[in-house]
Amino acid sequence: QVQLVESGGGLVQAGGSLRLSCAASGRTFRRYTMAWFRQAPGKEREFVAAISWNGDSTYYDEFVKGRFTISRDNAKNTLYLQMSSLKPEDTAVYYCAAGPGTDYPRAVGRYDYWGQGTQVTVSS
């Protein structure tokens, strides 16, 4: 029912910026908690950021706090992740995710819908 398509990934130098976008289909999108996760080679998928359905609450992991900003435009059914001051350790495949409700926004298991992922590579 819900399709998520990420875009905006690519190669960037350390210290640079990228904006990831996730276009979502489905009328219920505006009521879904949305999130970004990332997965580096040989690593488990890890939480990056999440945002409540109305945009009034955001959640970040400490390793990106102050550098990344999550936002959403419900009128456009689009989720964003603005990334700045990028570091080589940010290199990963970034996935957007969506799920109903508000509980445990940092938990990978609470999201029902996932995009295909977009590669972010940060060179030193």
Side-chain angles (χ1 to χ4, degrees):
Q1 183 178 359
V2 177
Q3 300 284 342
L4 304 174
V5 180
E6 302 98 332
S7 62
L11 176 65
V12 65
Q13 70 274 15
S17 299
L18 283 174
R19 187 182 72 166
L20 305 184
S21 299
C22 176
S25 64
R27 187 171 178 176
T28 59
F29 171 77
R30 69 174 307 275
R31 298 284 181 172
Y32 279 19
T33 299
M34 301 286 293
W36 291 96
F37 290 79
R38 69 186 186 185
Q39 188 166 22
K43 303 290 187 179
E44 293 185 354
R45 191 167 298 186
E46 65 179 353
F47 172 79
V48 177
I51 186 168
S52 61
W53 68 267
N54 60 3
D56 66 348
S57 298
T58 57
Y59 312 85
Y60 298 93
D61 257 14
E62 292 295 328
F63 65 97
V64 300
K65 186 80 171 184
R67 299 188 298 122
F68 293 8
T69 301
I70 188 170
S71 62
R72 66 192 295 167
D73 186 338
N74 288 339
K76 298 183 181 295
N77 279 14
T78 303
L79 175 74
Y80 302 98
L81 184 69
Q82 179 65 50
M83 304 183 293
S84 61
S85 301
L86 283 162
K87 307 173 181 179
E89 49 264 47
D90 295 319
T91 296
V93 176
Y94 284 70
Y95 300 88
C96 67
T102 59
D103 294 340
Y104 306 105
R106 297 175 175 87
V108 64
R110 58 94 66 220
Y111 294 96
D112 298 320
Y113 305 101
W114 295 83
Q116 81 288 350
T118 186
Q119 176 71 46
V120 172
T121 302
V122 183
S123 62
S124 60

